[in-house]
Amino acid sequence: MKVVILIGGEGSNAQAILKRVATKELDIEVVRVISHNHGAKGLEKAQALGVDTMTVAHKDFATKEAFENALKQAILACEAELIILAGFMRVLSADFIRAFPDQIINIHPSLLPDYKGLNTHQRVLEARETHHGVSIHMVTEELDSGTILAQAKIAVGPEDTAQTLKLRVQEIEHLLYPHVIRWFVQERLSTRKNRLYLDGNQIPPKGCLIEFTEKEKQL
Ligand code: GRF
């Protein structure tokens, strides 16, 4: 399966995915990593792993439409079947999303539908939540609101800061994204009447809750 990863910054998720491709734990071909920011650190990480990279920077275009057209062409040229957003910080229009139906997924650092948007770790701490986590969802034109495919949780401890939460959430992000991408590769997902099914079972409203063992976290 050919995929494109869209990034905007550090690219740690892209790197985690690419490492699993390198070890053959994930049977996809990452055709290209595209950043919407010049100089995103994730571009270097992808290049170091031998992947073609490209920048389609929103700042270089006069309109959102022109930016999205350039991005669309860059993706179409790759013949990608799956578009993986990983730190891609632009809201995509309905027109763009319609060009790739059921093919765009995103990772968000919260247990959606709670804490959409930015600064999730700080907001979770301020609200004294006992749990935090990560969600992977289909992308729609409404920010962080598409059907949730999967979530993974962590407990928030008394010692946690926004920085420790970020690191602990990232640890499970790097496991959860490859896990869910594999569902696409193995063709385990289906859609009926706008509802998503995994192996023929309807996915619950907050996605499938995936737990990782300590051993998996250390790998
Ligand atoms: C991750 O926390 C992801 O959930 C969010 O943006 C961050 C991207 O991190 N959408 P990275 O660029 O993959 O390191």
Side-chain angles (χ1 to χ4, degrees), residues 59-111:
K59 286 183 183 152
D60 295 343
F61 296 88
T63 62
K64 177 168 175 164
E65 194 185 354
F67 162 64
E68 288 194 343
N69 270 334
L71 188 60
K72 199 192 290 181
Q73 294 315 319
I75 294 171
L76 288 172
C78 299
E79 299 177 344
E81 292 163 72
L82 184 64
I83 300 158
I84 299 168
L85 308 194
F88 183 82
M89 304 295 281
R90 312 306 303 165
V91 180
L92 296 165
S93 71
D95 271 353
F96 183 95
I97 292 162
R98 265 198 293 270
F100 304 101
D102 297 328
Q103 286 175 281
I104 315 177
I105 56 176
N106 183 42
I107 189 159
H108 180 76
S110 81
L111 297 170

Side-chain angles (χ1 to χ4, degrees), residues 24 31 44 46 69 71 88 102 109 119 146 154 156-158 165 196 198:
K24 302 199 188 307
V31 188
E44 285 166 36
N69 270 334
L71 188 60
F88 183 82
D102 297 328
N119 301 323
I154 57 166
V156 180
L165 284 182
L196 262 174
L198 175 67

Side-chain angles (χ1 to χ4, degrees), residues 7-11 35-45 47 55:
I7 65 165
E10 290 294 323
S35 168
H36 69 84
N37 266 328
H38 289 287
K41 288 193 186 148
L43 291 171
E44 285 166 36
K45 291 178 185 160
Q47 284 156 13
T55 301

